[in-house]
Amino acid sequence: ARFNFEGLPIEIYAEDKCPLKQTAHKHLRIENRIIKLLGEEFKNKVIELKKKGVKTEPAFGILLELDEPYEDLLRWYDLSDFELLQKIKKEKTRR
């Protein structure tokens, strides 16, 4: 469900499965890991894009140069930190 409340866009998303296995939860977890790995500067770039109206996954897609940010982030969910950094590096050099 999507709606605005006092000018703030709100989106509520739910799946019929254990919360820890839901897509939204997995996105939050992988995004948090990426922010921790890439640091404050990366986090601030995400925040700036969000202030401009870009949703979270597309913001990560822009910064990490992902073709399919929703799917790519989910595919990265089970990677180790080392593997995750390698994927990020590979995406950046692929372009």
Side-chain angles (χ1 to χ4, degrees):
R2 292 182 183 156
F3 58 93
N4 285 305
F5 177 74
E6 295 181 2
L8 179 67
I10 306 288
E11 182 173 351
I12 299 173
Y13 175 83
E15 290 181 78
D16 185 22
K17 52 172 93 165
C18 169
L20 298 179
K21 295 184 180 187
Q22 291 181 11
T23 303
H25 177 77
K26 287 184 172 187
H27 274 142
L28 287 173
R29 298 281 307 267
I30 191 65
E31 291 159 1
N32 184 55
R33 284 181 58 213
I34 291 169
I35 286 171
K36 285 183 177 183
L37 289 169
L38 299 184
E40 196 71 22
E41 183 179 344
F42 181 83
K43 176 182 173 181
N44 290 334
K45 288 179 182 179
V46 171
I47 291 169
E48 285 305 312
L49 286 172
K50 290 186 62 64
K51 285 180 181 177
K52 293 177 182 177
V54 179
K55 289 187 164 196
T56 305
E57 287 78 6
F60 275 76
I62 291 166
L63 296 172
L64 299 174
E65 301 177 12
L66 303 175
D67 293 326
E68 301 290 335
Y70 290 94
E71 292 81 11
D72 291 334
L73 291 172
L74 287 177
R75 277 194 291 275
W76 293 0
Y77 182 78
D78 291 317
L79 298 178
S80 69
D81 286 352
F82 176 79
E83 292 168 322
L84 186 53
L85 284 170
Q86 293 302 311
K87 282 284 188 188
I88 291 168
K89 186 177 181 180
K90 183 178 178 182
E91 287 299 320
K92 297 281 247 178
T93 59
R94 184 173 64 92
R95 306 225 177 246

